[in-house]
Amino acid sequence: MSAEPGSVPILRTSMETYDFGESEDLLRRRYVDHHTQAGSTEPDFLFRSRMATAGPLIVDSPQWRAGMTFHTQPFDAIHILTVVDGRAEVTAGRQQAGAKAGSALLYPVGLPLEISLDRSTQIAIQFPVGEVRRVSERFGLDPADFRFDAMNPVSPAAARRWEATATYLNQLMAGPEIHQLLLRTALDVVTTTAVTVFPNTAMTVDYIAEPGRIAPAVIRRAVAYVDEHAAEPLTVEEIAAAAGIGTRTLQVGFRRHLDTTPAAYLRHVRLQRAHRDLQAADAARGDTVADIAYRWGFANLGRFAGYYREAFGRRPSQTLQT
């Protein structure tokens, strides 16, 4: 079956093995070169994994029925694991951190790691470093100055927020494909959450004064760009570039002139397009609310229904059935 227009295929690999060497080879191909030792008292070694990849986003669900220690080469991507059960510990130079069930660990980029797992089941998320550097601009930080400072979340509440995000991504990647708008949204969600959950330089940046006068014409250019490209996987940075201004200036300008944010305006436009498509849809032809919501980048149907009802005073299903 061919993919729907605008969709990105989700590539899947899975393994269940009692062979220590086979699991090591798989992890070396997936991530980075390393050498591994299993616990000497673990005769019942078992490794399971189910990995989904869409574009630059990887969601893996590894499980080790053994105590394991990995000595790895440096990672060049952001890799964050949520511990479902068991325990994990990481040493990177002088840094050390651990996580038990319900918490998370962010692997430092660019450093060799020693990773110890105690009969651990995880959800592991990996995405490019460039994504967090891009998002850091929204916090008023030069991307060149961005770095993560520690491996554990800043608080238990932050750890729960990351766990919810990892669960959401695991569910989102369950199908055979993902619409490019949903993939862009997923990358924005995972990177923004990471920057708000794990200690980093964006959290300690000094206050930056707001820009001075921002001409209304600049914001009109940004609005026109959003209106024209709403069906594409837009980022705030792309909207700012199209308007010829920086990300922070764009955000301030939207707040001053439109009393909203660029992201909220983009959501408004997509909601209007979804409303139009629902009005033109026919349930008898097989059209569904879910298909239309996904088409316009709304991954969470409950949230989409809430936005829709707030905007139009009725449920999406009522519009489709009219």
Side-chain angles (χ1 to χ4, degrees):
M1 182 183 297
S2 61
E4 292 291 328
S7 291
V8 177
I10 297 177
L11 306 179
R12 300 188 182 284
T13 56
S14 62
M15 172 181 282
E16 178 172 329
T17 181
Y18 296 91
D19 187 312
F20 173 77
E22 188 176 11
S23 69
E24 187 175 36
D25 289 343
L26 175 70
L27 293 171
R28 187 176 288 117
R29 292 195 305 271
R30 282 185 180 175
Y31 298 116
V32 295
D33 194 17
H34 66 279
H35 65 273
T36 315
Q37 70 182 69
S40 58
T41 60
E42 303 289 354
D44 58 343
F45 173 84
L46 171 64
F47 172 73
R48 294 189 180 99
S49 174
R50 298 186 311 278
M51 186 174 79
T53 303
L57 180 63
I58 296 174
V59 179
D60 196 2
S61 300
Q63 178 184 19
W64 286 268
R65 195 173 73 190
M68 306 290 296
T69 300
F70 302 85
H71 298 272
T72 79
Q73 293 298 309
F75 280 71
D76 59 5
I78 303 297
H79 188 96
I80 304 173
L81 61 88
T82 298
V83 179
V84 178
D85 61 41
R87 184 170 177 80
E89 295 181 352
V90 176
T91 300
R94 296 182 178 179
Q95 301 180 62
Q96 289 185 315
K100 58 184 180 179
S103 194
L105 278 170
L106 181 148
Y107 291 173
V109 173
L111 294 173
L113 307 177
E114 180 180 301
I115 304 168
S116 297
L117 306 176
D118 183 7
R119 290 179 169 264
S120 181
T121 302
Q122 308 162 3
I123 300 175
I125 310 294
Q126 184 167 293
F127 53 94
V129 172
E131 291 291 330
V132 289
R133 289 178 177 158
R134 178 180 60 78
V135 168
S136 71
E137 289 188 275
R138 302 179 190 176
F139 294 83
L141 185 71
D142 186 327
D145 296 328
F146 179 86
R147 70 176 184 278
F148 285 108
D149 293 325
M151 290 184 265
N152 288 126
V154 294
S155 69
R160 290 192 294 272
R161 191 160 67 247
W162 179 260
E163 184 179 21
T165 299
T167 301
Y168 157 75
L169 288 176
N170 205 25
Q171 294 169 346
L172 188 65
M173 299 278 276
E177 58 191 35
I178 181 172
H179 195 280
Q180 60 182 348
L181 292 182
L182 291 184
L183 178 58
R184 180 68 262 165
T185 298
L187 284 166
D188 277 344
V189 167
V190 72
T191 52
T192 303
T193 305
V195 171
T196 61
V197 165
F198 295 94
N200 62 81
T201 48
M203 291 180 174
T204 57
V205 66
D206 291 336
Y207 171 76
I208 300 175
E210 288 193 350
R213 182 178 181 275
I214 304 171
V218 172
I219 303 306
R220 287 198 295 270
R221 283 202 300 271
V223 166
Y225 187 82
V226 171
D227 291 344
E228 183 177 352
H229 298 274
E232 302 169 17
L234 288 182
T235 65
V236 173
E237 291 73 21
E238 290 168 345
I239 298 168
I245 55 177
T247 303
R248 183 170 174 77
T249 301
L250 178 76
Q251 292 171 325
V252 173
F254 263 73
R255 188 167 66 246
R256 288 181 186 173
H257 294 293
L258 302 177
D259 193 27
T260 189
T261 66
Y265 180 73
L266 175 59
R267 184 176 65 234
H268 165 77
V269 172
R270 287 174 172 166
L271 198 61
Q272 293 289 336
R273 306 288 172 82
H275 176 61
R276 178 198 64 193
D277 287 359
L278 283 167
Q279 290 177 315
D282 185 349
R285 291 198 309 257
D287 297 330
T288 68
V289 170
D291 287 342
I292 292 170
Y294 295 153
R295 181 185 307 156
W296 290 105
F298 295 96
N300 187 307
L301 292 181
R303 196 169 298 165
F304 169 70
Y307 290 143
Y308 190 90
R309 187 163 189 170
E310 182 179 354
F312 303 108
R314 61 192 323 196
R315 296 189 303 273
S317 59
Q318 291 176 301
T319 300
L320 177 61
Q321 293 171 2
T322 301

